[in-house]
Amino acid sequence: EEMLIDSTDTNYDVMQESCFYYSFGVQEVGFHACIELDTGNTTLFPPKSSIIMSIFQNPPRKADVTKKYGLPAIYGSKMEQTIKALNPSMIFLCAGTNICSDGKIEPPNYPWLKTYQLNAECVYPLISRLRMIKSPEEIDVMKSAIEATAEGHIEMMKNCKPGLREAQLMGFFRNEGLFKYNVKFNAYPDIVASSTNAATLHYEINNRIMQPNELVLCDCCLLYTSPSPRDQRGSRMPSSA
């Protein structure tokens, strides 16, 4: 879910949970979804914003959600009565522990769910295994991400010179992704680490002015899908500028 920043009218950047994105392709946060196992019918439950919040944001409308994702949409406020009409004998919830980050994926905890027989053990391990098997379409998308990422690194190597800040060099990568490939997001925060900054694995300050005869480690990747391939390049500083 989105988290508001204290004393502001904006929120922290939040990415969609990977299993949910894999299963439904939904990019926006705050959604729920339901798959009927006996029919395969799928319903999306987008959040419904208040009129006041709609002035500040562009909340997803049901018609837009259906058009974008090709699935019927019902506002989340009607999820309880929708599930009740289905009268399921059991509800399987996605919950588990990420083996990479050790982070917890918590299941929904709405009080009305307690009236059903629940299983929160099967879904997450199953989807995690399925995500390891790539379809031809997924492989094509990953190839596109690799191509775009490589082009961005080439632009950084072309423009790398003493006197630039690390963030300015990072700008060439982002510019290539946005203008040539229309990709607005990265798979993870950019790492452009010059000199001893390269010894910090997740260096993200990217503000040092680069000097002659230094090594610059660039670890950047454009986000086409999740998870994205990772690509690293080291750019050697020219001795003169």
Side-chain angles (χ1 to χ4, degrees):
E1 296 182 357
E2 290 185 340
M3 296 177 58
L4 294 176
I5 300 175
D6 254 353
S7 304
T8 74
D9 61 352
T10 187
N11 50 267
Y12 293 100
D13 289 333
V14 179
M15 294 176 64
Q16 181 59 270
E17 192 276 320
S18 296
C19 289
F20 193 88
Y21 185 82
Y22 174 85
S23 300
F24 306 103
V26 174
Q27 299 170 329
E28 300 87 353
V29 298
F31 276 63
H32 292 79
C34 169
I35 301 176
E36 300 172 50
L37 295 182
D38 54 348
T39 65
N41 293 336
T42 302
T43 304
L44 296 177
F45 297 100
K48 187 174 184 178
S49 297
S50 65
I51 295 176
I52 293 177
M53 290 305 295
S54 297
I55 297 174
F56 290 93
Q57 300 174 327
N58 184 24
R61 297 181 300 176
K62 290 192 299 182
D64 295 335
V65 170
T66 297
K67 182 178 179 181
K68 183 175 183 179
Y69 297 115
L71 295 170
I74 300 173
Y75 283 124
S77 57
K78 296 184 177 181
M79 181 167 57
E80 179 181 0
Q81 65 188 74
T82 302
I83 300 298
K84 184 178 181 180
L86 294 174
N87 191 28
S89 58
M90 179 177 289
I91 297 178
F92 293 87
L93 303 173
C94 186
T97 301
N98 187 300
I99 61 174
C100 297
S101 66
D102 210 29
K104 301 290 184 181
I105 298 176
E106 301 291 346
N109 60 353
Y110 300 112
W112 55 266
L113 277 173
K114 297 178 182 179
T115 62
Y116 297 93
Q117 186 174 354
L118 304 177
N119 184 317
E121 299 177 357
C122 299
V123 176
Y124 180 74
L126 176 61
I127 296 179
S128 297
R129 292 287 297 177
L130 288 173
R131 290 179 60 211
M132 298 171 63
I133 305 170
K134 304 302 179 184
S135 68
E137 292 78 13
E138 287 178 295
I139 293 173
D140 286 341
V141 172
M142 294 179 74
K143 287 179 179 179
S144 296
I146 291 170
E147 177 185 349
T149 296
E151 291 293 329
H153 280 284
I154 290 172
E155 284 302 306
M156 284 196 289
M157 287 188 279
K158 287 180 179 178
N159 292 279
C160 188
K161 62 182 179 180
L164 285 180
R165 288 193 180 273
E166 295 162 334
Q168 291 175 302
L169 186 60
M170 177 184 71
F172 290 104
F173 178 84
R174 293 192 174 184
N175 183 74
E176 183 75 3
L178 181 60
F179 281 89
K180 189 172 180 180
Y181 295 95
N182 194 32
V183 178
K184 295 187 293 184
F185 303 106
N186 285 11
Y188 46 83
D190 295 307
I191 298 173
V192 181
S194 60
S195 187
T196 55
N197 290 339
T200 302
L201 294 181
H202 283 185
Y203 172 81
E204 299 173 9
I205 299 174
N206 300 339
N207 198 41
R208 181 178 178 275
I209 297 177
M210 299 179 291
Q211 303 299 320
N213 299 314
E214 291 183 341
L215 181 72
V216 184
L217 174 67
C218 300
D219 185 351
C220 312
C221 184
L222 295 174
L223 179 62
Y224 264 60
T225 187
S226 180
S228 288
R230 197 177 180 98
D231 192 18
Q232 295 186 10
R233 292 289 185 271
S235 300
R236 178 68 181 179
M237 272 289 201
S239 58
S240 59

